[in-house]
Amino acid sequence: MSTTTKLQTTPSQTLPHHHLSHVLSISFDHYGRRFATASYDRTVRVWDLNAEGVWMGSSLDNTSGGANNEWQAHKGAVWDVCWGHPEFGQVLATAGADHAVIIWEEREGGFKSLATPERNGGFLDTNVANAGGAATEAASRWVNKATLTDARRAVKTVQFAPRHLGLRLASGSADGVVRIYEALDTMNLNHWKLDGVIEAEVEETTDNEGVPDRGSEAVSSNENMGVSSLSWCTGRFEPPTLVVGCSSGRVSIYRYMDGQRSWVEAIRLPNHATSAGVPRGVLDVAWAPNVGRSYHLIASCGKDNQLKVHRVKRSRGGKGDADGASSSTLVYEGTEVLDQNQSWRCQWNVTGTVLASSGDGGVVRLWKSDFQGRWKCVSEIVGDMAGAEASSNQ
């Protein structure tokens, strides 16, 4: 007998996002009272929850109270957006198809930008406003503090590190490389250093003379290469650790080793399956927050229509620091396939006990393990699709 229940979200608020193309990423802030949307139309919008429980933020929405929360962020599609911890202020990082990661900081007033430039061919055109003043000039609250351009191809994913690791972020790009950056001064976000590089999926080829070639041309010729998703381990007593999902279907855990002063692959988790030799690709990965467990849980979903939960045991041995962090090792214990439906995104709750997955059809499924450790879908949240269609037709 199935324990799945279907929940209709009532009351619900349908938000016309006003982007001119697909929304590629949504990210909530630490407290869940703000979220940012990133779009293929090169723009980012920030939404705020007011005292009445209504989300506001689009400059085209008369209830939003202003145009300060939308801007053109990149010269190409904005593939991902994420929030920094509020301890470091109101900080956003965006990943773009223009090979860049950009750090944005919210400032109150005094900074001029074109908040609502004219539309040109479905995209924002800032040149129109500069030439003829056709757009309205307003005080912009979001300022470009730093542009990180080390990637050779589009940056697909970006995520800030847990607060205890300082103001760091990791980015994954289509060249198969994960790059870790650290702010040199948390009070001045203009300066960042490249603090680590992980070649997660750089495939060796040979030139005409048989010499290994790891250049950008070899990488770009392989359409299945690239980092598609990543997630930090939030454990305070663990070394810096990341799980990385690749377009080839590969899922790997990387850890920073003090002795080697470099990132190394600790565990390679089961791949997402291939079909007829064609890699299906990983769409999302999520590392569960750990609240007193002796093991870690990592979720991954891919184009093979599988949602997986991987269990990795923590073990400590040998000599290390007082908290045992340097002697911590990871041991792979097993993987359970939860769903055979297409899942595009997966995310854990704050305690790491409930996994949410979203896919086609406007359905969010919530998963939880029973006392025997078996994962089951405990509820399905169905959005107000009729309301969304009506809003889009207006």
Side-chain angles (χ1 to χ4, degrees):
M1 183 176 179
S2 175
T3 58
T4 302
T5 59
K6 291 187 177 181
L7 304 177
Q8 185 71 27
T9 54
T10 55
S12 63
Q13 181 183 356
T14 301
L15 301 177
H17 58 73
H18 295 302
H19 285 290
L20 298 180
S21 190
H22 303 295
V23 175
L24 299 176
S25 178
I26 296 178
S27 176
F28 279 87
D29 74 342
H30 180 75
Y31 299 108
R33 298 189 63 84
R34 312 185 78 184
F35 72 87
T37 58
S39 173
Y40 194 82
D41 69 359
R42 304 186 284 189
T43 65
V44 171
R45 299 175 187 268
V46 174
W47 302 73
D48 295 276
L49 187 65
N50 66 10
E52 289 74 32
V54 178
W55 289 102
M56 303 188 303
S58 170
S59 64
L60 302 181
D61 185 352
N62 293 331
T63 65
S64 66
N68 294 331
N69 285 341
E70 66 153 323
W71 67 96
Q72 179 175 321
H74 289 264
K75 297 177 182 178
V78 187
W79 286 106
D80 201 7
V81 60
C82 68
W83 291 84
H85 193 277
E87 175 182 312
F88 306 107
Q90 294 299 303
V91 182
L92 281 173
T94 56
D98 55 359
H99 308 186
V101 173
I102 301 181
I103 311 299
W104 305 90
E105 185 178 28
E106 187 176 32
R107 293 291 182 86
E108 293 294 340
F111 296 89
K112 294 292 184 179
S113 69
L114 302 172
T116 55
E118 281 192 356
R119 310 275 171 164
N120 179 18
F123 295 100
L124 294 179
D125 190 355
T126 56
N127 295 325
V128 174
N130 291 332
T136 302
E137 200 170 351
S140 173
R141 291 191 296 174
W142 291 94
V143 183
N144 182 339
K145 302 298 293 185
T147 301
L148 313 175
T149 57
D150 295 286
R152 299 190 300 271
R153 297 184 66 191
V155 184
K156 292 298 186 73
T157 180
V158 62
Q159 190 176 104
F160 279 101
R163 178 179 60 87
H164 67 272
L165 295 178
L167 189 53
R168 293 183 179 181
L169 64 83
S171 67
S173 56
D175 58 13
V177 179
V178 176
R179 295 173 175 86
I180 294 90
Y181 296 92
E182 182 179 9
L184 296 177
D185 182 1
T186 58
M187 302 301 293
N188 180 6
L189 302 185
N190 291 314
H191 305 290
W192 294 70
K193 69 173 181 178
L194 182 61
D195 195 45
V197 173
I198 303 172
E199 294 188 348
E201 198 170 38
V202 179
E203 189 172 73
E204 284 195 0
T205 61
T206 57
D207 59 18
N208 294 333
E209 298 179 358
V211 179
D213 179 10
R214 300 172 70 90
S216 59
E217 293 183 359
V219 175
S220 62
S221 66
N222 190 335
E223 296 181 355
N224 296 317
M225 302 295 290
V227 176
S228 57
S229 54
L230 57 84
S231 181
W232 288 88
C233 171
T234 60
R236 293 185 60 87
F237 301 111
E238 299 283 354
T241 308
L242 283 165
V243 59
V244 177
C246 298
S247 300
S248 65
R250 176 173 156 187
V251 183
S252 294
I253 297 175
Y254 294 89
R255 310 197 85 172
Y256 183 79
M257 307 302 291
D258 285 327
Q260 304 178 32
R261 294 188 178 182
S262 63
W263 289 81
V264 299
E265 185 179 38
I267 296 176
R268 185 171 299 186
L269 301 174
N271 290 359
H272 281 266
T274 60
S275 177
V278 179
R280 289 297 188 181
V282 180
L283 294 172
D284 200 12
V285 293
W287 198 303
N290 195 306
V291 185
R293 289 192 300 261
S294 61
Y295 55 90
H296 293 286
L297 294 175
I298 300 169
S300 66
C301 57
K303 294 181 181 179
D304 57 356
N305 295 343
Q306 289 191 344
L307 173 66
K308 299 179 179 180
V309 171
H310 312 275
R311 177 165 166 156
V312 178
K313 184 176 178 57
R314 298 187 299 171
S315 64
R316 304 190 185 278
K319 297 181 180 180
D321 297 335
D323 59 6
S326 65
S327 60
S328 173
T329 59
L330 299 177
V331 179
Y332 170 73
E333 288 196 325
T335 296
E336 183 175 349
V337 178
L338 276 57
D339 198 2
Q340 295 290 342
N341 297 308
Q342 179 68 75
S343 296
W344 292 90
R345 292 288 185 268
C346 56
Q347 190 59 263
W348 296 91
N349 66 343
V350 294
T351 59
T353 56
V354 178
L355 175 66
S357 64
S358 61
D360 297 333
V363 179
V364 175
R365 293 180 173 86
L366 302 181
W367 305 84
K368 193 172 183 179
S369 64
D370 58 20
F371 67 96
Q372 294 180 326
R374 295 175 300 187
W375 289 87
K376 296 182 179 180
C377 181
V378 295
S379 65
E380 292 182 352
I381 303 174
V382 182
D384 185 6
M385 299 302 293
E389 292 177 2
S391 175
S392 64
N393 292 330
Q394 292 178 354

